[in-house]
Amino acid sequence: MRPSGRAPDALRPVSIQTGFARHAEGSALIRMGGTEVLCAASVETRVPPFLRGKGQGWVTAEYGMLPRATHSRGHREAAKGKQSGRTQEIQRLIARSLRAVTDLKALGEISITVDCDVLNADGGTRCAAITGAWVALRLALEKLVRDGTLAALPLKGQVAAVSCGLTAEGAVLDLDYDEDSTAAADANFVLTAEGGIVEIQGTAEKDPFTEDQFNALMRLARTGTAELFRIQAATIEQVTRA
Amino acid sequence: MRPSGRAPDALRPVSIQTGFARHAEGSALIRMGGTEVLCAASVETRVPPFLRGKGQGWVTAEYGMLPRATHSRGHREAAKGKQSGRTQEIQRLIARSLRAVTDLKALGEISITVDCDVLNADGGTRCAAITGAWVALRLALEKLVRDGTLAALPLKGQVAAVSCGLTAEGAVLDLDYDEDSTAAADANFVLTAEGGIVEIQGTAEKDPFTEDQFNALMRLARTGTAELFRIQAATIEQVTRA
Amino acid sequence: MRPSGRAPDALRPVSIQTGFARHAEGSALIRMGGTEVLCAASVETRVPPFLRGKGQGWVTAEYGMLPRATHSRGHREAAKGKQSGRTQEIQRLIARSLRAVTDLKALGEISITVDCDVLNADGGTRCAAITGAWVALRLALEKLVRDGTLAALPLKGQVAAVSCGLTAEGAVLDLDYDEDSTAAADANFVLTAEGGIVEIQGTAEKDPFTEDQFNALMRLARTGTAELFRIQAATIEQVTRA
Amino acid sequence: MRPSGRAPDALRPVSIQTGFARHAEGSALIRMGGTEVLCAASVETRVPPFLRGKGQGWVTAEYGMLPRATHSRGHREAAKGKQSGRTQEIQRLIARSLRAVTDLKALGEISITVDCDVLNADGGTRCAAITGAWVALRLALEKLVRDGTLAALPLKGQVAAVSCGLTAEGAVLDLDYDEDSTAAADANFVLTAEGGIVEIQGTAEKDPFTEDQFNALMRLARTGTAELFRIQAATIEQVTRA
Amino acid sequence: MRPSGRAPDALRPVSIQTGFARHAEGSALIRMGGTEVLCAASVETRVPPFLRGKGQGWVTAEYGMLPRATHSRGHREAAKGKQSGRTQEIQRLIARSLRAVTDLKALGEISITVDCDVLNADGGTRCAAITGAWVALRLALEKLVRDGTLAALPLKGQVAAVSCGLTAEGAVLDLDYDEDSTAAADANFVLTAEGGIVEIQGTAEKDPFTEDQFNALMRLARTGTAELFRIQAATIEQVTRA
Amino acid sequence: MRPSGRAPDALRPVSIQTGFARHAEGSALIRMGGTEVLCAASVETRVPPFLRGKGQGWVTAEYGMLPRATHSRGHREAAKGKQSGRTQEIQRLIARSLRAVTDLKALGEISITVDCDVLNADGGTRCAAITGAWVALRLALEKLVRDGTLAALPLKGQVAAVSCGLTAEGAVLDLDYDEDSTAAADANFVLTAEGGIVEIQGTAEKDPFTEDQFNALMRLARTGTAELFRIQAATIEQVTRA
């Protein structure tokens, strides 16, 4: 039995609230159990130097965590004067995941930055950030279509992410903090609704794991992201109808 | 007539939601119109080096703004590698305001850090932060009393803050972003429910102003903070009763 | 009786020596008792990026303190790799004070930076810096008029600053370090010779203070700055005659 | 046909030279084709603060690249004043890989830092670093056994890494720079000689990939690391015999 | 004929004013023509970590230049967030020069930091700093003897420095800025009154120079420092008599 | 007798291997006994901002040391976030030495950066770096001539460097680490094959030294660099013939 009483293949309760960041072109406050991430997409009509004049756009991401999002207060990275390796790793992952489903040529010379800020942390913040960031990105792109900047949505797919891990209960889906901090292994899967793999990051926290164990995690990830794709789609539909 | 249609001495709608930061010993999400600041108080049972062995506690504050809390996206300070002068000025002000009403001797060798993070900005973020931070601090202190760490609340008073300014409509209370960016002068008043002045910061944004004008701003601040004291007290009462 | 034997409304001996910074377009070494600040104005014929093409100028300031300007040696900020919050707060205050009396449109696309470096500190360094910086600025502007760059002085007024505080002797003018470090409250007033208020910063160091106390500080500031305006004017006149 | 003429499942020529870093307790200069990484293990008889008094050791890694290891010169990170996100990501990966096969309890209160510096880069530097770092670590541990500090080798396994990717030629093993920069996807596999998985990082560089494609990469990785384990073992044997 | 009209072997007018830095244990404001450096020695009764418990003291130095000490304003290093290579080179040179004539064993567990801040620059600031720093150091040490902390002056000698260079007028002594910026070579000599060499730094700014030319510079340096030793000694004598 | 058994005027065994840095336009791995420095010259067809449009080129250098090049592991400067004063001093020295023998006008608007990275350190790293850097620079310039970018080699001379010092054995040539760390004085001489002096840096590590002692060091330096010039020339000849 998992500490939370969930079945091995059960996500935590998930909800996505749009519009929380009032000034952003698209925003999503995603909650996965006790984890809460505010994703805000900002549009700029210029691209970074290395892309100038290449007729394509760019999508990037930044990640942060409020100092008291966690059980005990952490350092404020702005006060310390640098972002940790973990922070940089996560924001690079979010950005790659979003770019994998964006048609940068169709976007044209536009940059979109998605800020993912963790307001409350209870495990799985990078996965929640990716799932929420896709919603924020999609809303920002829809705004660009609505206001005539773009003719069509420059999106090639729908992306979501979930963590899975090997715990005393075996392979389980969507680790919370308690499970994450004691798991023998955990893996983050960034998958698309179209069945593709965008990113896999599997890590043995203690001893190496086997290929069979890894495949079990992959199957759970398919189950979990299927549910996340449904929730993302429902969120988008609700906004669009409004 | 003010852009918002408010009377010169009218605050924006104010609300304070407690418990938003789930792990914090005390937290308050304060909304003043379109400005939204999450204040989270963290307790540590040790003091900074300069106070060690002096038998007193410390209260400090940190301030931040999510990159897309504003109309156009700002730099993330953690990515830039330093906090701006404005950020440091504000967090020093919040900290002084809280210490002015805390009995540091009675607190004992305990440190409380109040993180004030702006989720949405529409003017007056430093004042909202102070008003919310006092609630977060008070809740954290009550927890220390409840769990027996402290015998009594080490608070000497109740503090709140509001900005006032000179606009085309004359002296007005609680500037929003539109008013703030065009005001001839603005002043932040940090006052106590007991009638004291904790901090005054008045600045001519264009031409110098007169002592009469300054006094008009001070009167508005009394009106505004009276209402804020009421809302703070009601918030605390509600939590305590629960 | 004040530790220095001064009357409550007495400034410390004040003197202003011009030309100390030989290369600067204008410079003033101001002494207020044991506090000594070298103010040097530098002219550049370009403006910061955010003002380019707007047909106006800019005035800014930087502040520093020699490591051994103080009783015990402080860190060298250049060696530490960052300016403290206090330093940034002060240099922003000096800059705002100077801009409040400068006609930036009339200045045209010229930037003036006033460096204020504390050679010896005995309280009131930020106020001395403002009073000296105005003299340095004025001298630099006069040079621009003399060499034909400007047709007339782009100055709207004369600005000076003084600190006042509540000590065991009541409200007193121009705190030295001993008084400053034990005062119950202190306030910095940046006023103009024309009777206007440019900036007020009042802070309760211990308990909140009352409006009456604040008004007493304001009256002392009027007395003190009247004397400073006289000394500034005499300094300028002496240089001009030479 | 691959640009290099290699078969899809062929590694580049691999060699490992020990003792290059003369002062290090263990060192390995690993060459995989045009990629050359100097791995140097340093032993310290103390542990980082978070482990003090816990009776266990620590293994960590740092990664760097000489500015002209690459086709066009890159910035020197020391001159820029910070390590890139990529650098931090890689050094964290190397460290986790080494810890996964080290018995930290058996190591006792000893820290080992393995510096991995890329002297020449032609793709696959992080994988080469892991494979070389294990040799350097092993040699350093053997020295601790030889000098009597440790009773037995505190190693639980043998770890090596290789990159695989999807190119125009299909799934291929051990990408060089040309292949890496144009691959549709690439994955880094950190595996153990005992058959375990330590870390998997798969990334779609363009479009998402399928599970079948991923499995093909995994099979190539098994082939490639089998050869690497053989070379590591032969290197160790040669040193030991000497 | 030199631009200044000086003879090849003539120093600029030199003066040393003591006590300028009021709080410092020893201070000297040295003027060499248009170059003006404030040297302030600070005593601390502890030593840096690498010397703890070794029963010896330490002498170090820091160097800075006010932004407008120069013809055109330079960056403030504190604002830039780092000291330039030039600054670090100079402060290391000053410190080595002082340590070469200090008996660190006799000093005991005391640290002396000499801050050398350039108020006005017209060439030769590092040499002026060394010459002035020795006076500040000597005064601080005399204070330690006077107050009984030390039994005797822990000084092994008297040190001063001067620059010489090859200009269109041949080998000349004590370059000012005009000469320094056009010299074919310049050299800084740190010498002792006892006839020893502490440091020599000779640099070809354009073409390499010859040994004969170098020897000519060395002879000039002997002439110049002889005069500086006389001025230092007179300064010390004057203070001591007072 | 020197610890190494060398005669007072004997260099350590010296070798220079070209082409180690495969991507660099010129590279030299120089070994002087246990000191090993990789020098890699990179060509860019643009100049730094301060030289734009002046029709001349630039030569600069950067210096680094692998963390475990030394007896005990040092900090990685990239991780610390800044280059030490020592590092900056050395890279400025290398750059000046190379520029002293380069005809920057003849080079045209081209920049050459020579990276000098110490792989193994046993004293004399800055001198080895200069000697090796000249070879790397020369090879890069020859490549520019070969590919027709330059009509002739823009070199005015051949430069090499060696350290000498005063040890218990008297004046000795080419100090290794053991000698360097105990020498009473050491000096670095950067000389040209044409008989000129480019740079001299002599430092008393303990007591001041005499002019006679200094002259003895200079004579040794002549002997040592004569041998280095021969080795540099042979290296170049060998590459050119190949």
Side-chain angles (χ1 to χ4, degrees), chain D residues 20-25 33-34 36 42 62 64 66-71 73 76-79 81 83 113 115 117 120-121, chain F residues 20-25 33-34 36 42 62 64 66-71 73 76-79 81 83 113 115 117 120-121:
Chain D
F20 190 93
R22 298 181 195 178
H23 302 299
E25 280 73 26
E36 211 157 350
S42 298
E62 294 195 2
L66 297 194
R68 195 54 197 281
T70 45
H71 282 79
R73 185 175 183 272
R76 183 177 289 268
E77 291 189 330
Q83 295 179 297
T113 302
D115 286 290
D117 285 275
N120 280 294
Chain F
F20 190 92
R22 298 180 195 180
H23 302 299
E25 280 74 26
E36 210 157 351
S42 297
E62 294 194 1
L66 296 194
R68 195 54 197 280
T70 45
H71 282 79
R73 186 175 183 271
R76 183 176 290 266
E77 291 189 329
Q83 294 179 298
T113 302
D115 287 289
D117 284 275
N120 280 294

Side-chain angles (χ1 to χ4, degrees), chain E residues 19-32:
Chain E
F20 190 93
R22 298 180 195 180
H23 303 298
E25 280 73 25
S27 85
L29 175 59
I30 183 168
R31 293 186 183 85
M32 293 188 74

Side-chain angles (χ1 to χ4, degrees), chain A residues 156-178:
Chain A
K156 302 184 293 184
Q158 183 179 349
V159 78
V162 76
S163 75
C164 306
L166 300 171
T167 70
E169 287 75 34
V172 297
L173 176 66
D174 188 22
L175 307 179
D176 57 27
Y177 176 80
D178 282 345

Side-chain angles (χ1 to χ4, degrees), chain A residues 2 41 51 57 68 122 125-126 138 140 179 181 188 221 224 226 231:
Chain A
R2 300 172 70 177
L51 283 181
R68 196 55 198 280
D122 186 27
T125 64
R126 82 185 66 188
R138 164 96 191 221
E179 289 174 322
S181 55
N188 298 299
I231 295 166

Side-chain angles (χ1 to χ4, degrees), chain B:
Chain B
M1 177 85 153
R2 300 172 71 176
S4 59
R6 279 187 282 150
D9 63 350
L11 290 177
R12 291 174 288 178
V14 179
S15 72
I16 301 176
Q17 174 185 347
T18 60
F20 189 92
R22 295 178 198 182
H23 302 299
E25 280 75 27
S27 86
L29 175 61
I30 183 168
R31 293 186 183 87
M32 293 188 75
T35 286
E36 212 156 349
V37 186
L38 176 53
C39 307
S42 297
V43 174
E44 280 180 303
T45 53
R46 57 172 188 182
V47 289
F50 70 93
L51 284 181
R52 272 177 208 152
K54 303 211 170 153
Q56 72 159 88
W58 193 240
V59 176
T60 187
E62 294 195 1
Y63 172 91
M65 199 182 262
L66 297 194
R68 195 54 198 280
T70 46
H71 283 79
S72 58
R73 186 175 182 272
H75 287 293
R76 182 177 291 266
E77 291 189 329
K80 265 194 98 173
K82 66 174 182 174
Q83 294 180 297
S84 70
R86 179 186 171 276
T87 291
Q88 293 192 60
E89 212 170 293
I90 292 175
Q91 65 193 13
R92 284 156 55 90
L93 169 64
I94 300 170
R96 284 197 308 270
S97 299
L98 296 176
R99 284 197 295 269
V101 293
T102 307
D103 182 342
L104 296 174
K105 283 281 173 204
L107 179 56
E109 296 223 338
I110 283 173
S111 295
I112 301 184
T113 302
V114 185
D115 286 289
C116 299
D117 284 276
V118 179
L119 306 186
N120 281 293
D122 186 27
T125 63
R126 83 186 66 188
C127 290
I130 291 167
T131 306
W134 182 84
V135 173
L137 172 64
R138 164 95 192 223
L139 293 175
L141 293 173
E142 290 195 344
K143 187 164 182 301
L144 288 169
V145 172
R146 269 203 318 279
D147 69 16
T149 306
L150 296 177
L153 273 184
L155 271 182
K156 302 184 294 183
Q158 182 179 350
V159 77
V162 76
S163 76
C164 306
L166 300 171
T167 71
E169 287 74 35
V172 298
L173 176 66
D174 187 22
L175 306 180
D176 57 27
Y177 176 79
D178 282 345
E179 290 175 321
D180 189 37
S181 55
T182 57
D186 69 73
N188 298 298
F189 295 89
V190 186
L191 306 177
T192 68
E194 298 73 25
I197 301 171
V198 165
E199 185 107 18
I200 293 176
Q201 294 187 335
T203 302
E205 297 292 343
K206 289 175 191 144
D207 296 312
F209 51 90
T210 68
E211 211 162 321
D212 281 355
Q213 288 176 315
F214 179 73
N215 289 334
L217 299 179
M218 172 87 87
R219 278 190 304 273
L220 285 171
R222 290 282 183 208
T223 306
T225 49
E227 173 70 4
L228 293 172
F229 293 133
R230 208 190 49 69
I231 295 167
Q232 287 177 323
T235 303
I236 297 294
E237 203 195 326
Q238 197 172 13
V239 174
T240 312
R241 253 194 326 229

Side-chain angles (χ1 to χ4, degrees), chain D residues 16-82:
Chain D
I16 301 176
Q17 173 185 348
T18 60
F20 190 93
R22 298 181 195 178
H23 302 299
E25 280 73 26
S27 84
L29 175 60
I30 183 168
R31 293 186 183 87
M32 293 188 74
T35 285
E36 211 157 350
V37 186
L38 177 53
C39 307
S42 298
V43 173
E44 279 180 304
T45 53
R46 58 173 186 180
V47 289
F50 70 93
L51 284 181
R52 274 179 206 151
K54 302 210 171 154
Q56 71 159 89
W58 193 239
V59 176
T60 187
E62 294 195 2
Y63 172 92
M65 199 182 262
L66 297 194
R68 195 54 197 281
T70 45
H71 282 79
S72 59
R73 185 175 183 272
H75 288 293
R76 183 177 289 268
E77 291 189 330
K80 264 194 100 171
K82 66 174 182 175

Side-chain angles (χ1 to χ4, degrees), chain D residues 1-23:
Chain D
M1 178 85 154
R2 299 173 71 176
S4 59
R6 278 188 283 150
D9 62 351
L11 290 178
R12 293 174 286 179
V14 179
S15 72
I16 301 176
Q17 173 185 348
T18 60
F20 190 93
R22 298 181 195 178
H23 302 299

